[in-house]
Amino acid sequence: MSGGISELRDSGVMIQLAHQAMLSMGLDVGTVFQRLGVTPELLADRNARTPHAAQVIFWQVLEEVSGDPDIGLHLGEHMPVYKGQVLQYLFLSSPTFGDGLERVLNYQRLLSDASQASAGYDDQHAYIVLARASDETGPLRHLNECMMLGLISFFRYVTDNAFAPAAIHFNHEAPEDISGFARVFDCPVLFSQSDNRIIFSRQLLDLPSSHAEPELLHLHEKLASEHVAKLERQDIVTQVNRVFGEILETAPVSLEEIAERLGIKARTLRSRLSDAGTSFNQLLAEYRCNLAKRLLAGTDESIDEIVYLTGFSEPSTFYRAFKRWTGQTPVEYRNSRKPTDS
């Protein structure tokens, strides 16, 4: 499902749910988000996608700020149920729990590009294996434990509390103190297993949904398909931005050059960018603008060096472009971002 995606991303709803859990726990949210660079705009954007690789630093910062070696487990306890998204509606409108599960797994990219969960069963038990397409986050303990609790809470919600895990497997090593796991999961928890897995009674697959709506099911599935198609159209934008970052300082930046590096024809790239609601020139301008603003606000690089790093051949061209983008000169922008003495 994730093949060909140059940068795996997670739905912004994940950090939004984590934000609510942190508030519930009374954590120092301001310090956490300041260190992570999370803005109020991100928390309010229902369409946001965040880099999956950032999960590593997110959980490092959260553990450091909270001082809690079991922060993933405890954050998962306070995580609100995943609601108000198309996957929830798709699950609820399906005729049975098993049918809803099968449908949602077809659209799991809506939650994360890195998600590769799968389901199976034997004579007595069914199971869900929570796998990820990226090795960057590896056996990240806090993420595993938090996601497992979040998934169990969601399953309880869509089954009117009928769902109960029979066992939990984690592929990370056991922490020093495992006394809280039996209480939180209310079932046996095993560590250092081959994968992350929820095991439950196979009978739950046939559990009827009290919210089943055949007509709404068709509508929700159509909506989920449209959302996935939109993400697929946006993949080309991510790929182009990646190539910008690779060649901006060293090679001419043109539609033809980018297309060649992506292994497609220039007219195909132009068409795919149009389908994604943008153009080559618009993407290049946005990339240069954002890069210039980051360098001006966050580094002491000279203006001449920033001209070079953003791929401009002349300072005068850079100055005119930056004034057009922001309404300020580069110097005015840098000065406006400097901390003021109290």
Side-chain angles (χ1 to χ4, degrees), residues 6-205:
S6 58
E7 181 183 37
L8 301 174
R9 291 183 170 268
D10 300 326
S11 168
V13 73
M14 296 179 71
I15 190 110
Q16 292 156 7
L17 292 175
H19 177 226
Q20 295 179 55
M22 284 188 275
L23 291 174
S24 176
M25 293 178 68
L27 298 181
D28 186 353
V29 177
T31 297
V32 171
F33 283 172
Q34 182 180 30
R35 289 181 59 180
L36 293 171
V38 174
T39 64
E41 290 76 16
L42 176 62
L43 294 175
D45 186 356
R46 293 177 63 86
N47 297 313
R49 306 283 289 186
T50 58
H52 182 68
Q55 290 280 356
V56 176
I57 185 65
F58 172 81
W59 290 106
Q60 287 175 349
V61 169
L62 202 55
E63 181 175 351
E64 290 171 6
V65 173
S66 67
D68 184 355
D70 297 321
I71 186 60
L73 185 71
H74 296 147
L75 196 76
E77 284 188 277
H78 288 81
M79 194 81 77
V81 175
Y82 173 82
K83 292 182 181 179
Q85 304 286 325
V86 66
L87 293 183
Q88 174 211 351
Y89 302 138
L90 186 61
F91 217 123
L92 289 174
S93 57
S94 296
T96 66
F97 176 78
D99 190 69
L101 179 61
E102 181 179 356
R103 281 188 165 86
V104 165
L105 289 177
N106 289 333
Y107 300 104
Q108 58 188 296
R109 189 184 170 187
L110 295 179
L111 193 59
S112 174
D113 296 332
S115 178
Q116 290 188 331
S118 59
Y121 55 86
D122 55 28
D123 291 341
Q124 291 185 310
H125 293 101
Y127 58 85
I128 302 168
V129 176
L130 306 181
R132 294 192 296 276
S134 171
D135 292 331
E136 291 181 283
T137 52
L140 192 56
R141 177 195 160 201
H142 295 322
L143 175 61
N144 291 344
E145 293 168 6
C146 187
M147 286 189 64
M148 193 72 78
L149 280 171
L151 199 56
I152 291 170
S153 295
F154 177 73
F155 288 159
R156 285 174 175 157
Y157 166 70
V158 296
T159 61
D160 298 322
N161 289 318
F163 182 87
I168 301 293
H169 290 182
F170 286 119
N171 66 355
H172 57 266
E173 295 180 359
E176 291 185 12
D177 183 4
I178 63 171
S179 59
F181 283 81
R183 173 189 62 81
V184 172
F185 288 103
D186 195 27
C187 69
V189 180
L190 302 179
F191 298 91
S192 299
Q193 301 299 299
S194 59
D195 51 43
N196 298 302
R197 180 178 298 229
I198 306 175
I199 301 170
F200 55 95
S201 170
R202 182 175 174 177
Q203 293 179 346
L204 284 170
L205 295 176

